[in-house]
Amino acid sequence: MQPGDIRISAADLTTFCAAALAGAGAKDGDARAVAEHLVMANLCGHDSHGIGLLPAYVKHAVDGLVDVNATPEILHDKGAILKVAGHDAWGRMAGEFTMMAAFPKAEDLGVCAVTLSNAHHLGRIGAYGEMAANAGFTALFFVNVTDHDPMVAPYQGTDARFGTNPVCIALPPTGTRPAFLLDMATSRIAMGKARVAANKGLRVPFGAILDENGLPTDDPAGFKGFEQKGALAPIGDHKGYGLAFAAELLAGVYSGGGTIQPGHERRGGIRNQMMAVVMQPDAFGDISAMEREMEAMWDYALASPPADWDSPVVAPGDPERSLRKRRAAEGVPLDAETLKQLNAAAEAVGVTERLG
Ligand code: NAD
């Protein structure tokens, strides 16, 4: 929470967001589901993938860069392999369709490798990880981003050649531990985090961004609104760059949706391709013994004496879980610039409600 931010309840944000999406042409059920998906990202603390994306989603719907009437389709179904075409449908709807298609196969065969091509923005990939974990599956996700200019520089490069290509690993809860949910961009900060920082006039960690000349900086000004001057840096130097590259190949190539290389059209929308490997944990052995071992490992990792006693060791997924509880009770903080952008987006599609 920064000075000047106001808090708005998740329920009010969802209603506003669904109205604006419906105003832009989304079917009622889709408008609600996409709105809930965005607001859940805010509740989890991922404001970069929350309601701040509404202006882009509205513009994409109005410009036909998301097809509000499209239905995802299974293109290939053989053995443990499934391929789904997103047909530019809302990412949230295409992502859920893909997971629901994969679960029965993983249940029958122990594993299902599924790809999704040409979906509109999938948003927070952890949402699909949670769908899998809550249904008792373990899942690995690799995602690439196309249809717009690249945002992330390769390690040792000076300009953008990749998307923020997220990677997610989800394991179901055990008797004593919640789901393990590692859900991360392969850029040091998500594009939306640079946008949110620029909107708030804040700095980002030095070196998380390269400026227009390819030099490391902490100034996100080049990322204000939806412009981009400069590039994001990958996480973990050559290792994060390697993961981003792998996501490009696994998601972009195996799905058939394509990579971000410039031979493909870039319409200024956001398309995601995804490769998910969904596994039935039972297929790997005695589930109670596996759970006991996972809990022992979890206890061991979290018992490390913290460097700062106010910030004890937590597991991937824990920060989102605790913030979700707090923001559900206190509301989601929004800055004045984001509010202005949201209200302008709603006004542009004839919605009379205003936030703030
Ligand atoms: P982040 O850096 O906030 O968190 C990354 C992971 O680290 C999470 O699993 C989190 O639980 C874990 N984590 C954070 N602090 C921790 C701590 N102290 N101890 C242990 N674990 C900790 O997330 P991000 O990289 O900024 O990504 C934000 C969101 O953006 C994700 O939901 C991602 O899926 C989404 N994303 C989507 C796209 C897309 O094209 N659809 C692209 C990029 C990112």
Side-chain angles (χ1 to χ4, degrees), residues 165-217:
N165 298 1
V167 171
C168 175
I169 301 174
L171 281 82
T174 67
T176 64
R177 291 293 180 182
F180 176 96
L181 190 69
L182 176 65
D183 170 28
M184 58 180 217
T186 49
S187 52
R188 269 186 68 186
I189 55 171
M191 178 71 170
K193 286 198 170 126
R195 172 174 50 79
V196 170
N199 284 347
K200 291 182 171 181
L202 301 173
R203 297 271 156 175
V204 299
F206 185 82
I209 286 178
L210 306 183
D211 69 16
E212 277 176 279
N213 303 312
L215 297 172
T217 177

Coordinates of all heavy atoms in Angstrom, one line a residue, residues 165-217:
N165 N 7.7 -15.4 -20.4 CA 7.6 -16.9 -20.4 C 7.5 -17.5 -19.0 O 8.5 -18.0 -18.5 CB 8.7 -17.5 -21.2 CG 8.7 -17.1 -22.7 OD1 7.8 -16.3 -23.0 ND2 9.6 -17.6 -23.5
P166 N 6.3 -17.6 -18.4 CA 6.2 -18.2 -17.1 C 6.4 -19.7 -17.0 O 6.1 -20.4 -18.0 CB 4.8 -17.8 -16.6 CG 4.0 -17.6 -17.8 CD 5.0 -17.1 -18.9
V167 N 6.8 -20.2 -15.9 CA 7.0 -21.6 -15.6 C 6.2 -21.8 -14.2 O 6.3 -21.0 -13.3 CB 8.5 -21.9 -15.4 CG1 8.7 -23.3 -14.9 CG2 9.2 -21.8 -16.7
C168 N 5.5 -22.9 -14.2 CA 4.8 -23.2 -12.9 C 4.8 -24.7 -12.6 O 4.8 -25.5 -13.5 CB 3.3 -22.7 -13.1 SG 2.2 -23.1 -11.8
I169 N 5.0 -25.0 -11.3 CA 5.0 -26.3 -10.8 C 4.1 -26.4 -9.6 O 4.2 -25.7 -8.7 CB 6.5 -26.8 -10.4 CG1 7.4 -26.6 -11.6 CG2 6.5 -28.2 -9.8 CD1 8.9 -26.9 -11.2
A170 N 3.1 -27.3 -9.8 CA 2.1 -27.4 -8.7 C 2.0 -28.9 -8.2 O 2.0 -29.8 -9.1 CB 0.7 -27.0 -9.3
L171 N 2.0 -29.1 -6.9 CA 1.7 -30.4 -6.3 C 0.5 -30.3 -5.4 O 0.4 -29.3 -4.7 CB 2.9 -30.9 -5.5 CG 4.1 -31.5 -6.3 CD1 5.0 -30.4 -6.9 CD2 5.0 -32.4 -5.4
P172 N -0.3 -31.3 -5.3 CA -1.5 -31.3 -4.5 C -1.1 -31.2 -3.0 O 0.0 -31.6 -2.6 CB -2.2 -32.6 -4.8 CG -1.3 -33.4 -5.5 CD -0.2 -32.6 -6.0
P173 N -2.1 -30.7 -2.2 CA -1.9 -30.7 -0.7 C -1.7 -32.1 -0.1 O -2.1 -33.0 -0.7 CB -3.1 -30.0 -0.2 CG -4.1 -29.9 -1.3 CD -3.4 -30.3 -2.6
T174 N -1.0 -32.1 1.0 CA -0.9 -33.4 1.7 C -1.8 -33.3 3.0 O -2.5 -32.3 3.1 CB 0.6 -33.6 2.2 OG1 0.9 -32.6 3.1 CG2 1.6 -33.6 1.0
G175 N -1.7 -34.3 3.9 CA -2.5 -34.2 5.1 C -2.2 -32.9 5.9 O -3.1 -32.3 6.5
T176 N -1.0 -32.5 6.0 CA -0.6 -31.4 6.8 C -0.1 -30.1 6.1 O 0.1 -29.1 6.7 CB 0.5 -31.8 7.8 OG1 1.7 -32.0 7.1 CG2 0.1 -33.0 8.7
R177 N 0.1 -30.3 4.8 CA 0.7 -29.1 4.1 C -0.3 -28.7 2.9 O -0.9 -29.6 2.3 CB 2.0 -29.5 3.5 CG 3.1 -29.6 4.6 CD 3.4 -28.3 5.2 NE 4.4 -28.4 6.3 CZ 4.8 -27.4 7.0 NH1 4.3 -26.2 6.9 NH2 5.8 -27.5 7.9
P178 N -0.3 -27.4 2.6 CA -1.1 -27.0 1.5 C -0.4 -27.3 0.1 O 0.7 -27.9 0.1 CB -1.2 -25.5 1.7 CG 0.0 -25.1 2.4 CD 0.4 -26.3 3.3
A179 N -1.1 -27.0 -1.0 CA -0.5 -27.3 -2.3 C 0.9 -26.5 -2.4 O 1.0 -25.4 -1.9 CB -1.4 -26.8 -3.4
F180 N 1.8 -27.2 -3.1 CA 3.1 -26.5 -3.4 C 2.8 -25.8 -4.7 O 2.3 -26.4 -5.7 CB 4.2 -27.6 -3.6 CG 5.5 -27.0 -4.1 CD1 6.5 -26.8 -3.2 CD2 5.7 -26.8 -5.5 CE1 7.7 -26.3 -3.6 CE2 6.9 -26.3 -5.9 CZ 8.0 -26.1 -5.0
L181 N 3.1 -24.5 -4.8 CA 2.8 -23.8 -6.0 C 3.9 -22.8 -6.3 O 3.9 -21.7 -5.8 CB 1.4 -23.0 -5.9 CG 0.9 -22.4 -7.2 CD1 0.5 -23.5 -8.2 CD2 -0.3 -21.5 -7.0
L182 N 4.8 -23.2 -7.2 CA 5.8 -22.3 -7.7 C 5.3 -21.8 -9.0 O 5.0 -22.5 -9.9 CB 7.1 -23.1 -7.9 CG 8.2 -22.3 -8.6 CD1 8.7 -21.1 -7.7 CD2 9.4 -23.1 -8.9
D183 N 5.1 -20.5 -9.1 CA 4.5 -19.9 -10.3 C 5.2 -18.6 -10.6 O 5.1 -17.6 -9.8 CB 3.0 -19.6 -10.0 CG 2.3 -18.7 -11.0 OD1 2.8 -18.8 -12.2 OD2 1.4 -18.0 -10.7
M184 N 6.0 -18.6 -11.6 CA 6.9 -17.4 -11.8 C 7.2 -17.1 -13.2 O 7.2 -17.9 -14.1 CB 8.3 -17.7 -11.1 CG 8.9 -19.0 -11.7 SD 10.5 -19.4 -11.0 CE 11.4 -20.0 -12.4
A185 N 7.4 -15.8 -13.5 CA 7.9 -15.3 -14.7 C 9.3 -15.7 -14.8 O 10.0 -15.8 -13.8 CB 7.7 -13.8 -14.8
T186 N 9.9 -15.8 -16.0 CA 11.3 -16.0 -16.2 C 12.1 -14.7 -16.4 O 13.3 -14.7 -16.6 CB 11.6 -17.0 -17.3 OG1 10.9 -16.6 -18.5 CG2 11.2 -18.4 -16.9
S187 N 11.4 -13.6 -16.3 CA 12.0 -12.3 -16.2 C 12.2 -11.9 -14.7 O 11.4 -12.4 -13.9 CB 11.2 -11.2 -16.9 OG 9.9 -11.2 -16.4
R188 N 13.1 -11.1 -14.4 CA 13.4 -10.8 -13.0 C 12.1 -10.1 -12.4 O 11.8 -10.4 -11.2 CB 14.6 -9.8 -12.8 CG 15.8 -10.6 -12.6 CD 17.0 -9.7 -12.3 NE 16.9 -9.0 -11.0 CZ 17.8 -8.1 -10.6 NH1 18.8 -7.7 -11.4 NH2 17.6 -7.5 -9.4
I189 N 11.5 -9.3 -13.1 CA 10.1 -8.8 -12.7 C 9.2 -9.0 -13.9 O 9.6 -9.0 -15.0 CB 10.2 -7.3 -12.3 CG1 10.7 -6.4 -13.4 CG2 10.9 -7.1 -11.0 CD1 10.6 -4.9 -13.0
A190 N 7.9 -9.2 -13.6 CA 6.9 -9.3 -14.7 C 6.8 -8.0 -15.3 O 7.0 -6.9 -14.7 CB 5.6 -9.8 -14.1
M191 N 6.4 -8.0 -16.6 CA 6.2 -6.7 -17.4 C 5.2 -5.8 -16.6 O 5.4 -4.6 -16.5 CB 5.6 -7.1 -18.7 CG 5.3 -5.9 -19.6 SD 6.8 -5.2 -20.1 CE 6.2 -4.1 -21.3
G192 N 4.1 -6.4 -16.1 CA 3.1 -5.7 -15.4 C 3.7 -5.0 -14.1 O 3.2 -4.0 -13.7
K193 N 4.7 -5.7 -13.5 CA 5.3 -5.1 -12.3 C 6.1 -3.8 -12.7 O 6.0 -2.9 -11.9 CB 6.2 -6.1 -11.5 CG 5.3 -7.1 -10.8 CD 5.9 -7.9 -9.7 CE 4.8 -8.7 -9.0 NZ 5.0 -10.1 -8.9
A194 N 6.7 -3.8 -13.8 CA 7.4 -2.6 -14.3 C 6.3 -1.5 -14.6 O 6.5 -0.4 -14.2 CB 8.2 -2.9 -15.6
R195 N 5.2 -2.0 -15.2 CA 4.1 -1.0 -15.5 C 3.6 -0.4 -14.2 O 3.4 0.8 -14.1 CB 3.0 -1.7 -16.3 CG 1.8 -0.9 -16.5 CD 0.8 -1.6 -17.5 NE 0.5 -2.9 -17.1 CZ -0.3 -3.3 -16.1 NH1 -1.0 -2.4 -15.4 NH2 -0.5 -4.6 -15.8
V196 N 3.3 -1.3 -13.2 CA 2.7 -0.8 -11.9 C 3.7 0.1 -11.3 O 3.3 1.2 -10.8 CB 2.3 -2.0 -11.0 CG1 2.0 -1.6 -9.6 CG2 1.2 -2.8 -11.6
A197 N 5.0 -0.2 -11.3 CA 6.0 0.6 -10.6 C 6.1 2.0 -11.4 O 6.2 3.0 -10.7 CB 7.4 -0.1 -10.6
A198 N 6.0 1.9 -12.7 CA 6.1 3.2 -13.5 C 4.9 4.1 -13.2 O 5.0 5.3 -13.0 CB 6.2 2.9 -15.0
N199 N 3.7 3.4 -13.1 CA 2.5 4.2 -12.8 C 2.6 4.8 -11.4 O 2.0 5.9 -11.2 CB 1.3 3.2 -12.8 CG 0.8 2.9 -14.3 OD1 1.3 3.5 -15.2 ND2 0.0 1.9 -14.4
K200 N 3.2 4.2 -10.5 CA 3.3 4.7 -9.1 C 4.6 5.6 -8.9 O 4.8 6.0 -7.8 CB 3.4 3.5 -8.1 CG 2.1 2.7 -8.0 CD 2.3 1.6 -7.0 CE 1.0 0.9 -6.7 NZ 1.1 -0.1 -5.7
G201 N 5.4 5.7 -9.9 CA 6.6 6.5 -9.8 C 7.7 5.9 -8.9 O 8.5 6.5 -8.3
L202 N 7.6 4.5 -8.8 CA 8.6 3.8 -8.0 C 9.8 3.3 -8.8 O 9.7 3.2 -10.0 CB 7.9 2.6 -7.3 CG 6.7 2.9 -6.4 CD1 6.0 1.6 -6.0 CD2 7.1 3.7 -5.2
R203 N 10.8 2.9 -8.1 CA 12.0 2.3 -8.8 C 11.8 0.8 -8.7 O 11.1 0.2 -7.9 CB 13.3 2.7 -8.0 CG 13.6 4.2 -8.1 CD 14.4 4.5 -9.3 NE 14.2 5.9 -9.6 CZ 14.9 6.5 -10.6 NH1 15.8 5.8 -11.3 NH2 14.7 7.7 -10.9
V204 N 12.6 0.1 -9.6 CA 12.6 -1.4 -9.5 C 14.0 -1.8 -9.1 O 14.9 -1.0 -9.2 CB 12.2 -2.0 -10.9 CG1 10.8 -1.6 -11.3 CG2 13.2 -1.6 -12.0
P205 N 14.3 -3.1 -8.7 CA 15.6 -3.5 -8.4 C 16.6 -3.2 -9.5 O 16.3 -3.5 -10.7 CB 15.5 -5.0 -8.1 CG 14.1 -5.2 -7.8 CD 13.3 -4.2 -8.6
F206 N 17.8 -2.6 -9.2 CA 18.7 -2.3 -10.2 C 19.1 -3.5 -11.1 O 19.3 -4.6 -10.5 CB 20.0 -1.7 -9.6 CG 20.9 -1.2 -10.7 CD1 20.8 0.1 -11.3 CD2 22.0 -2.0 -11.1 CE1 21.6 0.5 -12.3 CE2 22.8 -1.5 -12.1 CZ 22.6 -0.3 -12.7
G207 N 19.0 -3.3 -12.4 CA 19.4 -4.4 -13.3 C 18.2 -5.3 -13.7 O 18.4 -6.1 -14.6
A208 N 17.0 -5.0 -13.1 CA 15.8 -5.8 -13.5 C 15.4 -5.3 -14.9 O 14.6 -6.0 -15.6 CB 14.7 -5.7 -12.5
I209 N 15.8 -4.2 -15.3 CA 15.4 -3.6 -16.5 C 16.7 -3.1 -17.3 O 17.7 -2.6 -16.6 CB 14.5 -2.3 -16.3 CG1 13.1 -2.8 -15.9 CG2 14.4 -1.4 -17.5 CD1 12.2 -1.7 -15.5
L210 N 16.7 -3.2 -18.6 CA 17.8 -2.6 -19.4 C 17.1 -1.4 -20.1 O 16.0 -1.5 -20.6 CB 18.3 -3.6 -20.5 CG 18.8 -5.0 -20.0 CD1 19.3 -5.8 -21.2 CD2 19.9 -4.8 -18.9
D211 N 17.8 -0.3 -20.2 CA 17.2 0.9 -20.8 C 17.3 0.8 -22.3 O 17.8 -0.2 -22.8 CB 17.9 2.2 -20.2 CG 19.3 2.4 -20.7 OD1 19.8 1.7 -21.6 OD2 20.0 3.2 -20.0
E212 N 16.9 1.8 -23.0 CA 16.8 1.8 -24.5 C 18.2 1.5 -25.1 O 18.3 1.0 -26.2 CB 16.4 3.2 -25.0 CG 14.9 3.4 -25.0 CD 14.6 4.8 -25.4 OE1 14.7 5.7 -24.5 OE2 14.3 5.0 -26.6
N213 N 19.3 1.8 -24.3 CA 20.6 1.6 -24.9 C 21.2 0.2 -24.4 O 22.4 -0.1 -24.6 CB 21.6 2.7 -24.4 CG 21.1 4.0 -24.9 OD1 20.7 4.2 -26.0 ND2 21.0 5.0 -24.0
G214 N 20.3 -0.6 -23.7 CA 20.8 -1.9 -23.3 C 21.6 -1.9 -22.0 O 22.2 -2.9 -21.6
L215 N 21.5 -0.7 -21.3 CA 22.3 -0.6 -20.0 C 21.3 -0.9 -18.8 O 20.2 -0.5 -18.8 CB 22.8 0.8 -19.9 CG 23.9 1.1 -21.0 CD1 24.3 2.6 -20.9 CD2 25.1 0.3 -20.8
P216 N 21.9 -1.6 -17.8 CA 21.0 -1.9 -16.6 C 20.6 -0.6 -15.9 O 21.4 0.3 -15.8 CB 21.9 -2.7 -15.7 CG 23.3 -2.8 -16.4 CD 23.2 -2.1 -17.7
T217 N 19.3 -0.6 -15.4 CA 18.8 0.6 -14.7 C 17.8 0.1 -13.7 O 17.4 -1.0 -13.6 CB 18.1 1.5 -15.7 OG1 17.6 2.6 -15.0 CG2 17.0 0.9 -16.5

